[in-house]
Amino acid sequence: MSNNPLSFAITPHAEPVAADERASRLQDPGFGRLFTDHMATIRYSEGKGWHDARIEARADLKLNPSTLVLHYAQEIFEGLKAYRLPDGSATLFRPDANARRFRNSAARLAMAQLPEELFIESVEQLVRIDREWIPSAEGASLYLRPFMISTEVALGTKPSTDYLYCVIASPVGAYFKSGAGAVTIWVSDNYTRAAPGGTGDAKCGGNYAASLLAQAEGQKQGCEQVVFLDAVERRWIEELGGMNVFFVFADGTLQTPPLTGTILPGITRDSLITLARGLGLTVREEPYSIDQWQADAQSGKLTEAFACGTAAVVTPIGEVKGRKHGFKMGEGQAGPVTQRLKTALLDIQRGRSADTHNWLRKVK
């Protein structure tokens, strides 16, 4: 438990979803459409600090039309998962890393910074009360969405004096409809996701809003995701619309774009780098151009590519389309290196292999 003196007032839902109905819903949860009974909330106000921590029935938020978040988009969020282990217990994967990134995002958007121990405790409390919502099916998990919004009622471009922090939970299956199959991605040469000095390395809603038009463009071309290039030269690969990207070469080495302030520092990305190096693989964090990607794929120098993130886990990329680019990789499924890394990650998350990095945090 946290050493923070702030404790949560816990009020169980008066009419939770019945056990048989919950079991029925968990058979095919989809992604992000089904929600648990409860939510966690903590409030912040200038001069008072963090207060009013609660676990209560999930309910609508009531906001004044002049609430700052609705006008100036002071908003950040996180994504992490809880898993059901073979012994029936529940565990979180690297919540401390999410807590640190949440604080970094808050700092970039001039928001109040939630203590990391409060972040972790809020997530644990919600998982504890809604643990029966954790799916047991292979590939399924409980997706947790902590977020924070500015709640001061005022108009004026300035940091808010008041904030609401909230955590909701959603049982989920596979992120992509293709399941274990490879996805097709669209090269965005009209739009960029982030620029130097911007908010690219913060997890804020504005970054994702900026990606939606490019994402829609890609969907019209039959693509599941979009890959963004740098905002300066429109040449260097940065990341996909909501996940990082890795490249696997014929010599067995891996490469991923470096963290230069315009790319979100993915926790899955960091975990895979650690796992790959532990398996004896060479991983380079170096720039890689879209033209080089095409040339290497066509020559056979590059044999695999995959996207990764909390939601997508590890998803192979089978084809790349664009106005100036078009090429394929692999056989429509995960290549051997991609599959090896995915298995290594999932085995730790689901308690099937030793957690030598101390990434799991059991919810007691």
Side-chain angles (χ1 to χ4, degrees):
M1 293 294 289
S2 160
N3 292 322
N4 194 289
L6 187 61
S7 60
F8 283 80
I10 300 175
T11 306
H13 198 304
E15 297 180 0
V17 174
D20 56 346
E21 174 63 20
R22 182 178 62 240
S24 175
R25 296 183 190 182
L26 290 178
Q27 291 299 312
D28 184 20
F31 196 96
R33 298 288 184 179
L34 177 65
F35 298 94
T36 67
D37 293 309
H38 299 86
M39 65 182 185
T41 58
I42 313 176
R43 295 188 176 274
Y44 177 91
S45 58
E46 198 172 76
K48 189 173 183 179
W50 294 101
H51 63 281
D52 197 19
R54 298 174 179 268
I55 302 292
E56 57 191 355
R58 189 175 64 87
D60 294 344
L61 302 180
K62 294 183 179 181
L63 298 176
N64 186 290
S66 300
T67 302
L68 278 179
V69 68
L70 302 176
H71 303 272
Y72 308 113
Q74 262 194 311
E75 180 272 350
I76 58 173
F77 67 98
E78 269 300 325
L80 65 161
K81 288 178 175 177
Y83 303 89
R84 189 179 296 281
L85 298 188
D87 64 2
S89 63
T91 188
L92 297 165
F93 182 74
R94 301 190 67 182
D96 54 326
N98 291 96
R100 286 193 298 272
R101 191 170 66 181
F102 196 74
R103 280 181 62 87
N104 291 338
S105 295
R108 177 61 185 86
L109 271 76
M111 302 175 76
Q113 295 179 43
L114 183 72
E116 293 173 22
E117 61 269 24
L118 263 182
F119 178 101
I120 294 172
E121 185 170 353
S122 68
V123 170
E124 285 189 330
Q125 290 279 11
L126 184 58
V127 172
R128 189 173 294 119
I129 198 169
D130 279 341
R131 64 181 299 137
E132 296 304 318
W133 282 93
I134 305 175
S136 56
E138 180 64 30
S141 57
L142 184 65
Y143 184 82
L144 298 154
R145 171 53 59 86
F147 65 94
M148 183 164 65
I149 61 174
S150 56
T151 54
E152 182 182 358
V153 176
L155 295 180
T157 311
K158 69 177 191 66
S160 178
T161 59
D162 303 282
Y163 296 93
L164 171 66
Y165 166 79
C166 185
V167 190
I168 55 175
S170 174
V172 297
Y175 184 75
F176 289 110
K177 293 180 180 179
S178 59
V183 296
T184 301
I185 64 173
W186 176 256
V187 180
S188 177
D189 51 17
N190 279 340
Y191 309 104
T192 59
R193 174 187 169 277
T199 59
D201 62 350
K203 199 167 179 65
C204 61
N207 293 343
Y208 295 81
S211 76
L212 296 179
L213 190 57
Q215 183 74 27
E217 184 179 71
Q219 288 174 344
K220 290 180 181 178
Q221 301 298 324
C223 300
E224 290 96 339
Q225 262 290 324
V226 60
V227 61
F228 287 100
L229 307 179
D230 73 290
V232 179
E233 298 183 59
R234 305 292 181 96
R235 173 187 177 193
W236 304 105
I237 297 161
E238 295 222 314
E239 66 174 274
L240 276 61
M243 53 208 75
N244 297 118
V245 60
F246 279 80
F247 309 98
V248 184
F249 297 88
D251 63 4
T253 63
L254 290 89
Q255 186 167 331
T256 191
L259 302 178
T260 57
T262 57
I263 296 175
L264 185 72
I267 293 163
T268 305
R269 172 190 183 277
D270 179 71
S271 302
L272 290 171
I273 290 173
T274 299
L275 289 175
R277 289 174 174 164
L279 292 170
L281 300 174
T282 297
V283 184
R284 298 182 299 273
E285 296 182 71
E286 297 175 358
Y288 193 54
S289 72
I290 184 62
D291 291 340
Q292 193 64 53
W293 186 4
Q294 176 165 279
D296 289 347
Q298 292 174 339
S299 71
K301 181 180 179 181
L302 181 139
T303 56
E304 305 171 42
F306 61 86
C308 68
T310 298
V313 192
V314 175
T315 301
I317 297 170
E319 184 176 0
V320 177
K321 295 181 180 180
R323 274 178 281 271
K324 303 174 184 176
H325 302 87
F327 55 95
K328 294 184 178 182
M329 293 155 293
E331 304 296 329
Q333 298 291 326
V337 175
T338 301
Q339 188 58 52
R340 186 182 183 192
L341 289 172
K342 180 177 182 179
T343 299
L345 178 64
L346 290 177
D347 282 352
I348 293 173
Q349 291 176 336
R350 298 190 174 276
R352 295 190 290 255
S353 64
D355 176 25
T356 57
H357 302 287
N358 294 317
W359 284 341
L360 298 185
R361 185 182 178 102
K362 275 202 173 186
V363 179
K364 298 179 181 179

